[in-house]
Amino acid sequence: MHLPHQRGPLHDLPDTPEAYDAVLADVTEQALARMTPEGNLEHPDCVDDIGDTSLGITSLLALAWQRGKDARLPDAVRRSLAFHLDERVYTEDNPGYPNLRVRDSGLPYARYTLASGAHPIGDWPSTVWALLQAVNVLDTADGLVDEWQRTRLVEVAHGYWRWLTEATFFNPQEAGNQAIGCVVAGLMLARHLPSPQDGDSVRREALRLYEDEIRAHRVADRGALLPSEHGGAYDNNYGPISLSFLAQAHRVSGEEKFAEDGEALARYLDARLTCGGFDNGGPRYSEQHSAFESVLGLRYFGARIGSDLGRYRGDSRWARHARKDDGGVDGHFAWMLVWQIQDTTRWHRTPSTTPVRHQLRAGTVSVAFDTRMTPSLVEAAGVYYLPAAVQRQHGFGPVTDGFLLSRPMGEVRVRDVVAQGLRAKLVTKPVVGRDHVLRHVQSLYVTDGTTLWMTVAVERLPGTPYLLAGLPYAADDGDRVRRTAEPRVTSAGDLRLTHPTPDDPHHFDARAPVTQEQAAFALAADPRGYGNPDEGWSHLVASTALEAQPAPGAPEDLHVFAVRYGPGADAFTPVFARVGTALRVRTEAFTAVIGEAAGDASGEPELTLSA
């Protein structure tokens, strides 16, 4: 089975002016054919996320007119704008909406679902989206709408802002992307308010909300501070959307804080993203990628940090705009298409070569590390490996008597080396087992851009230890990613691929046609779409796992495990030797010496590497 949402790299989509004009021409023909006598441009199948969609199409038509002056568009823009103002602006409280601070305010808002009292929880983001569509129309509709319509739209937009910031609690779903979107909407609205005092007030309030309600509540992960997304630090759908909002916030305000925070989020995303653009993990959408919604942020900040963020695998079904199952355009999130057309930044297409703590990357090989410097995702030869699970413990590392030695008990030391076409990372962790003995686990990762060698050394362990070397999970298949349970790994010691036997949600068999996201939701305390259902994956008891036995020939006081990820089925026979107190590892491709630097009072690990 293919993973449903992760498809081609986003930077493969043409982004020339001609390509965008073709997109707008297609939207124009669909919209003109769809428009009802009342001016409604909503997709006939749209039920949820509907309150902003007709206005979103209106904004795209206004942009198309601005670029091509199609004579059919002025009337379509006026009629569709009139429809939104007459039929999609609500001023009576939605029954059951739980997040009001002021009842019966009379302020306008947009509904997530049109039926009164049906799923009102979505009204806050829907109003943010409607406000963003409104300010985009105001930005692009000069010469298209009459003064009465423009004045009315400004009044409604200002009312949307007041409903979001006065009548309700701010960011009630704790979704950073929605909150930053609201700030962007305020910054853009401020430029259109007729009173300079009102404009200054809205701008100040937008900047205050960002500082006090978003920036002050960022979540730490892998050394970065990130906007919180539904209880997690990052989400594969919402994280890149937040990046696009930060790009737009910087574009319209010039405030340096948006650039700083966007660059931090971009570097974090770059570190966790594989060379092939696959990613995994997040509170609500652990395997669902956004597409056109992410382009602005990935392109804008990829250029700023000098890395190829466009390798991110988007959902190509939403490559240009939101769409329904029949392929028809939906106006949801239309502002992202408007902004990416207006922005002239081009894709940065080459990787950054600067070593970063939480990633090792070269060629087609990458290792993304979590906060504890345990691999969270390994990529080699087009196969992606997740941390395996044993007795409710997840990770990569030595296992003895069922206990996984991967959680650090103290400071984790990291050393990066680049030499003779090789890139390497040495991670040294103090760990404590069930016997309460402190041991130092040294994990060496070396790649030539095609193959990954992982060598793990630890003071000799009791029992019959093995290395938990990952869960083979997915593989590249053209422009798609398919589920797999077939590794491309060799080991210096015996290697076995094990599968859990119980048939229940707490055991993940990689041979089953189930995604990690589905398995996580089955174990979650929250239903999908609420809270942090991906926490369910942490309740996994056991999974398919690669288990590597100790390598022969290691020094008597050590257990050494050595595995090779990538092409080739040749025997893997590394040679180990003591060099003073250090350990020398020699393979068919490199020689490395790992230990503590002589005379280094700080105790930093030493790593020398040669081809």
Side-chain angles (χ1 to χ4, degrees), residues 454-456 467 490-493 548-551 560-564 572 574 576 585:
M454 181 190 298
T455 306
V456 179
L467 179 73
T490 51
S491 172
Q549 300 299 306
V560 179
F561 308 88
V563 294
R564 182 180 62 195
F572 182 38
F576 311 102
V585 181

Coordinates of all heavy atoms in Angstrom, one line a residue, residues 454-456 467 490-493 548-551 560-564 572 574 576 585:
M454 N 26.4 2.0 11.1 CA 26.1 2.4 12.5 C 26.9 1.4 13.4 O 26.8 0.2 13.3 CB 24.7 2.2 12.8 CG 24.3 2.6 14.2 SD 22.6 2.2 14.7 CE 21.7 3.2 13.5
T455 N 27.8 1.9 14.2 CA 28.6 1.1 15.2 C 28.3 1.6 16.6 O 28.4 2.8 16.8 CB 30.1 1.3 14.9 OG1 30.3 1.0 13.5 CG2 30.9 0.4 15.8
V456 N 27.9 0.7 17.4 CA 27.5 1.1 18.8 C 28.4 0.3 19.8 O 28.4 -1.0 19.7 CB 26.0 0.8 19.1 CG1 25.7 1.1 20.5 CG2 25.1 1.6 18.1
L467 N 21.3 -5.4 19.5 CA 21.1 -4.0 19.1 C 19.7 -3.9 18.4 O 19.5 -4.6 17.4 CB 22.2 -3.5 18.1 CG 22.0 -2.1 17.6 CD1 22.4 -1.1 18.7 CD2 22.8 -1.8 16.4
T490 N 22.7 -5.1 6.5 CA 23.6 -6.3 6.9 C 24.2 -6.0 8.2 O 24.3 -4.8 8.6 CB 24.7 -6.5 5.8 OG1 25.3 -5.2 5.5 CG2 24.1 -7.0 4.5
S491 N 24.7 -7.0 8.9 CA 25.2 -6.9 10.2 C 26.5 -7.7 10.4 O 26.6 -8.7 9.8 CB 24.1 -7.3 11.2 OG 24.7 -7.4 12.5
A492 N 27.4 -7.2 11.2 CA 28.6 -7.9 11.5 C 28.2 -9.2 12.4 O 28.9 -10.2 12.2 CB 29.6 -7.1 12.3
G493 N 27.3 -9.1 13.2 CA 26.8 -10.2 14.0 C 25.5 -10.8 13.3 O 25.0 -10.2 12.3
A548 N 20.2 -7.0 15.9 CA 21.6 -7.4 15.5 C 22.4 -7.9 16.7 O 22.4 -7.2 17.8 CB 22.3 -6.2 14.9
Q549 N 23.0 -9.1 16.6 CA 23.8 -9.6 17.6 C 25.1 -8.9 17.7 O 25.6 -8.3 16.8 CB 24.0 -11.1 17.4 CG 22.7 -11.9 17.3 CD 21.9 -11.9 18.7 OE1 22.5 -12.2 19.7 NE2 20.7 -11.4 18.6
P550 N 25.9 -9.1 18.8 CA 27.2 -8.4 18.9 C 28.1 -8.8 17.8 O 28.1 -10.0 17.4 CB 27.7 -8.8 20.3 CG 26.4 -9.2 21.1 CD 25.5 -9.7 20.1
A551 N 29.0 -7.9 17.4 CA 29.9 -8.2 16.4 C 31.1 -9.1 16.9 O 31.5 -8.8 18.1 CB 30.5 -6.9 15.7
V560 N 30.3 -4.6 21.1 CA 30.2 -3.7 19.9 C 29.2 -4.3 18.9 O 29.2 -5.5 18.6 CB 31.6 -3.6 19.2 CG1 31.5 -2.7 18.0 CG2 32.6 -3.0 20.2
F561 N 28.3 -3.5 18.4 CA 27.3 -3.8 17.4 C 27.6 -3.0 16.2 O 27.9 -1.8 16.3 CB 25.9 -3.6 17.9 CG 25.6 -4.2 19.3 CD1 25.9 -3.4 20.4 CD2 25.1 -5.4 19.4 CE1 25.6 -4.0 21.7 CE2 24.8 -6.0 20.7 CZ 25.1 -5.2 21.8
A562 N 27.5 -3.7 15.0 CA 27.8 -3.0 13.8 C 26.8 -3.4 12.7 O 26.7 -4.6 12.4 CB 29.2 -3.2 13.3
V563 N 26.1 -2.4 12.1 CA 25.2 -2.7 11.1 C 25.4 -1.8 9.9 O 25.9 -0.6 10.1 CB 23.7 -2.7 11.5 CG1 23.4 -3.7 12.5 CG2 23.4 -1.3 12.1
R564 N 25.0 -2.2 8.7 CA 25.2 -1.4 7.5 C 23.9 -1.3 6.8 O 23.3 -2.3 6.5 CB 26.3 -2.0 6.6 CG 26.6 -1.3 5.3 CD 27.6 -2.0 4.5 NE 27.2 -3.3 4.1 CZ 27.9 -4.3 3.6 NH1 29.3 -4.1 3.5 NH2 27.4 -5.4 3.2
F572 N 29.6 -8.3 5.9 CA 30.1 -7.1 6.6 C 30.9 -7.6 7.7 O 30.4 -8.2 8.7 CB 28.8 -6.3 7.1 CG 29.2 -5.1 7.8 CD1 30.2 -4.2 7.4 CD2 28.4 -4.7 8.9 CE1 30.5 -3.1 8.1 CE2 28.7 -3.5 9.6 CZ 29.7 -2.7 9.2
P574 N 33.6 -5.9 9.9 CA 34.5 -4.8 10.5 C 35.5 -5.4 11.4 O 35.3 -6.5 12.0 CB 33.5 -3.9 11.2 CG 32.3 -4.8 11.5 CD 32.2 -5.7 10.4
F576 N 37.9 -4.6 14.9 CA 38.0 -3.7 16.0 C 39.3 -3.9 16.7 O 39.8 -5.0 16.8 CB 36.8 -4.0 17.0 CG 35.5 -4.0 16.3 CD1 34.8 -5.2 16.0 CD2 34.8 -2.8 15.9 CE1 33.6 -5.3 15.4 CE2 33.6 -2.9 15.3 CZ 33.0 -4.1 15.0
V585 N 37.7 1.3 14.7 CA 36.8 0.6 13.9 C 37.2 0.6 12.4 O 37.4 1.8 11.9 CB 35.3 1.1 14.0 CG1 34.3 0.3 13.2 CG2 34.9 1.2 15.5

